[in-house]
Amino acid sequence: FRRHKTWTHEGGISTPLIVHWPSGISDSGALRDMSGHVVDIVPTLLDFALPRQKAATFHGVSLKKAFLQGVAPDRDALWWLHEGNRALQRGDWKISAASGGPWELYYLRDDRIESQDLSGEKPAVLGALAALWESRWLSFKALATGGRP
């Protein structure tokens, strides 16, 4: 995978998660090929511990169905900002940019190693994903600052 830790390319964000729960996960040894994020851990634990409770608002989603049924989490998109490096993944499409650099566009189903930047070929897809990243960033910033600029 391209790049390494601190980057938002696959080399920096792809990390396996191993879950061991013999009495809870029936298909022992099964592999799940879907994306999750560290922000999904708390919503997942709360979903298992208090399944009938309405959970607080989190940036993550529960991975309960992924663990028990192999069903991908119900999520619109994943987004990252780390040390100025940024990315957003929606389905198989992903945009990524090094700090201060331009957006790159990848179709992960065919190019998981991010070797073919499609930003020049698919400007509409790039624009939509970049606008979604900006929207997520502005929402997060407003939440983090309590609405202050």
Side-chain angles (χ1 to χ4, degrees):
F1 296 138
R2 285 191 62 212
R3 307 271 178 145
H4 49 81
K5 296 301 170 200
T6 77
W7 299 94
T8 56
H9 290 79
E10 291 297 292
I13 63 171
S14 294
T15 305
L17 172 65
I18 298 171
V19 177
H20 178 72
W21 185 19
S23 65
I25 299 174
S26 60
D27 55 347
S28 177
L31 297 176
R32 306 285 190 250
D33 185 19
M34 55 192 71
S35 296
H37 194 283
V38 70
V39 297
D40 299 332
I41 300 297
V42 169
T44 302
L45 294 174
L46 289 173
D47 194 12
F48 275 110
L50 305 166
R52 290 181 177 79
Q53 297 293 319
K54 184 177 185 308
T57 301
F58 291 97
H59 289 287
V61 298
S62 174
L63 300 176
K64 183 177 182 178
K65 288 183 181 178
F67 294 156
L68 300 181
Q69 302 163 5
V71 177
D74 184 23
R75 168 192 338 267
D76 178 48
L78 273 172
W79 71 282
W80 298 264
L81 175 63
H82 182 65
E83 296 184 5
N85 304 308
R86 56 201 197 282
L88 180 133
Q89 182 180 340
R90 183 180 225 179
D92 290 321
W93 288 104
K94 180 182 173 195
I95 55 172
S96 190
S99 182
W103 285 114
E104 301 166 357
L105 174 68
Y106 301 100
Y107 189 64
L108 297 179
R109 183 181 300 165
D110 297 338
D111 184 23
R112 180 81 195 281
I113 62 171
E114 301 169 322
S115 64
Q116 298 178 354
D117 179 1
L118 301 173
S119 59
E121 297 173 34
K122 303 277 187 183
V125 174
L126 177 69
L129 294 176
L132 181 56
W133 186 94
E134 188 67 26
S135 169
R136 297 289 167 93
W137 166 237
L138 291 174
S139 294
F140 177 78
K141 207 162 68 168
L143 181 67
T145 62
R148 295 182 313 271

